[in-house]
Amino acid sequence: MAGSVPEIQIQVNSKKGGNSIHPVEPARTSAGGGPPVVYREIKHFKKWFPWLIPSFVIANVVTFFVTMYVNNCPHNSVSCVAGFLGRFSFQPFGENPLLGPSSNTLEKMGALDVNKVVHEHEGWRLITCMWLHGGVFHLLANMLSLIVIGIRLEREFGFVRIGLLYIIAGLGGSLFSALFIKSNISVGASGALFGLLGSMLSELIINWTIYANKLAVLVTLVVIIVINLAVGILPHVDNFAHIGGFMSGFLLGFVFLIRPQFGWVSQRYASSGYSSTSAKPKFKVYQMVLWVISLVLLIIGFTSGLVMLLRGVDLNDHCSWCHYMSCVPTSRWSCNTEPVSCMSEQTDNQLTLTCSNSNKTRSYSLSNPSTSQIQGLCSQLCR
């Protein structure tokens, strides 16, 4: 009919990502018994070729190899794991159970050290720590997650938005961690990864009307996020970086991943001869409200966080229970991750051990104890 809006076909993409719905415009029309209509995706919903996230994965792997080369375990340690790898061999399990370098090497390569950030003005560590990993297990877990989550998002939204989201969310995770963890170094891409998870949740919310099976997708995504955050309460896991990255990514998703509505798309791609008395807005009111609120919260959060960090504020002093967000102590493990040393003193048949982290002292009746016996007793005393 003349003057009517040309039909915008709806194409449902049921791949991982929540059955997102994509409008497509006709590239040509068919007349009579001509060839069938061919459609192409409009630019607001185009599929991107994912290259940035794979590049990030390669960069992380290369950085790990460089870190292991610098570590050079045979030159700096008495014993190494997988010694046949030469200078790429790993530190002893007792020092690093993740199959990786020493803490000194990670610090040299740019690990997050709050003292150096605050007192030596090395703010770049908030970014460089995102590209370092504590070991092979740590690297594999993060890179597999990055491939699964990141490639899907880059395909949907392009490398610019996902690249910025990844870096800013990672910075948010580092910043939040630095406000709570003052005595240990921190490394890993987990903050940025949780930022991508958070952005998936906010993207679902802000683009709610263009999703099929939205409730099922929402429940599944929330369960995945809760499980991943719950793992962070184990010792030696920096859950503050996870939480900070997730919150940053959640807000960034409202800003970067907003989609135009189909009504506006239909009008925009209508024929030039069509005129409408009621123009459709590009975004719904709730989308714009979420966009503005999220942008304001991001600016306030990052500004106040940086100011507190540079002033040396320790948020643990203002929140007596917040440390439980990163580790919950049980009878099976302790949340004390400060460096521990055990001093031994042998007098006749009397062995005295003193643990540095608790100042515990205990004496044992042993004559010429072996090194493994002393290490076992130290582990029990300092547990």
Side-chain angles (χ1 to χ4, degrees):
M1 183 187 303
S4 63
V5 180
E7 182 181 2
I8 299 295
Q9 299 296 316
I10 302 300
Q11 171 182 315
V12 178
N13 180 355
S14 60
K15 293 181 180 179
K16 180 176 176 64
N19 297 328
S20 55
I21 306 174
H22 300 276
V24 292
E25 64 168 336
R28 67 175 187 270
T29 58
S30 60
V37 178
V38 177
Y39 297 95
R40 69 175 184 268
E41 290 183 312
I42 64 176
K43 68 176 183 178
H44 299 283
F45 292 85
K46 67 175 291 187
K47 292 291 185 180
W48 298 78
F49 177 76
W51 62 268
L52 184 64
I53 293 299
S55 299
F56 282 173
V57 173
I58 293 173
N60 277 277
V61 173
V62 169
T63 302
F64 181 74
F65 275 100
V66 172
T67 303
M68 294 307 303
Y69 181 85
V70 173
N71 185 65
N72 194 7
C73 180
H75 180 72
N76 299 302
S77 301
V78 176
S79 62
C80 301
V81 177
F84 61 88
L85 295 175
R87 67 184 300 152
F88 290 98
S89 57
F90 312 111
Q91 295 298 123
F93 277 114
E95 182 180 348
N96 187 342
L98 298 175
L99 292 180
S102 66
S103 298
N104 290 334
T105 300
L106 289 172
E107 186 174 356
K108 184 189 302 182
M109 293 294 295
L112 178 58
D113 184 329
V114 176
N115 289 326
K116 291 185 179 295
V117 172
V118 176
H119 302 296
E120 300 181 23
H121 309 293
E122 297 181 358
W124 46 267
R125 290 180 177 272
L126 293 168
I127 297 293
T128 55
C129 67
M130 297 164 46
W131 307 94
L132 298 170
H133 287 83
V136 173
F137 298 141
H138 189 201
L139 178 70
L140 286 177
N142 278 349
M143 293 305 100
L144 289 175
S145 300
L146 180 57
I147 290 172
V148 172
I149 299 170
I151 288 182
R152 176 258 162 183
L153 285 172
E154 185 180 354
R155 184 181 291 119
E156 292 287 332
F157 296 98
F159 68 93
V160 174
R161 286 188 279 183
I162 299 306
L164 287 173
L165 197 154
Y166 182 89
I167 298 298
I168 298 174
L171 175 61
S174 299
L175 183 58
F176 195 71
S177 172
L179 292 172
F180 285 96
I181 299 178
K182 301 294 184 179
S183 58
N184 297 310
I185 64 172
S186 179
V187 295
S190 302
L193 283 171
F194 272 82
L196 295 181
L197 270 178
S199 72
M200 291 177 67
L201 180 59
S202 56
E203 189 267 328
L204 175 62
I205 295 172
I206 199 169
N207 300 321
W208 186 256
T209 58
I210 66 173
Y211 271 89
N213 301 325
K214 57 193 72 177
L215 288 178
V217 175
L218 177 62
V219 171
T220 302
L221 190 54
V222 169
V223 169
I224 292 173
I225 292 169
V226 170
I227 291 174
N228 278 274
L229 287 174
V231 172
I233 65 175
L234 297 173
H236 306 292
V237 178
D238 185 1
N239 209 32
F240 289 119
H242 296 173
I243 296 170
F246 176 82
M247 293 190 301
S248 300
F250 182 70
L251 295 175
L252 287 165
F254 289 123
V255 176
F256 286 154
L257 308 185
I258 185 172
R259 296 259 203 198
Q261 295 303 303
F262 287 155
W264 177 85
V265 171
S266 298
Q267 287 186 341
R268 182 176 178 85
Y269 290 90
S271 61
S272 58
Y274 171 76
S275 61
S276 174
T277 56
S278 58
K280 301 291 186 181
K282 185 174 182 179
F283 303 109
K284 290 184 177 293
V285 174
Y286 84 91
Q287 288 181 297
M288 295 308 301
V289 170
L290 288 172
W291 190 92
V292 172
I293 292 176
S294 299
L295 184 60
V296 171
L297 290 177
L298 281 167
I299 294 173
I300 294 175
F302 274 87
T303 302
S304 58
L306 286 170
V307 170
M308 287 189 290
L309 174 62
L310 296 178
R311 290 184 175 179
V313 174
D314 186 347
L315 289 185
N316 292 293
D317 297 336
H318 306 278
C319 180
S320 59
W321 56 268
C322 283
H323 61 279
Y324 291 118
M325 292 192 297
S326 186
C327 181
V328 176
T330 69
S331 58
R332 293 183 175 271
W333 64 70
S334 169
C335 291
N336 191 342
T337 59
E338 294 181 1
V340 177
S341 62
C342 184
M343 297 182 62
S344 63
E345 183 180 352
Q346 182 77 38
T347 305
D348 296 331
N349 292 333
Q350 195 77 11
L351 174 67
T352 303
L353 299 179
T354 303
C355 186
S356 65
N357 69 329
S358 60
N359 290 324
K360 292 181 180 177
T361 300
R362 186 172 299 174
S363 297
Y364 303 88
S365 296
L366 290 174
S367 177
N368 298 321
S370 65
T371 302
S372 59
Q373 285 179 308
I374 295 176
Q375 290 177 344
L377 294 172
C378 279
S379 298
Q380 294 177 7
L381 180 63
C382 298
R383 182 178 302 170

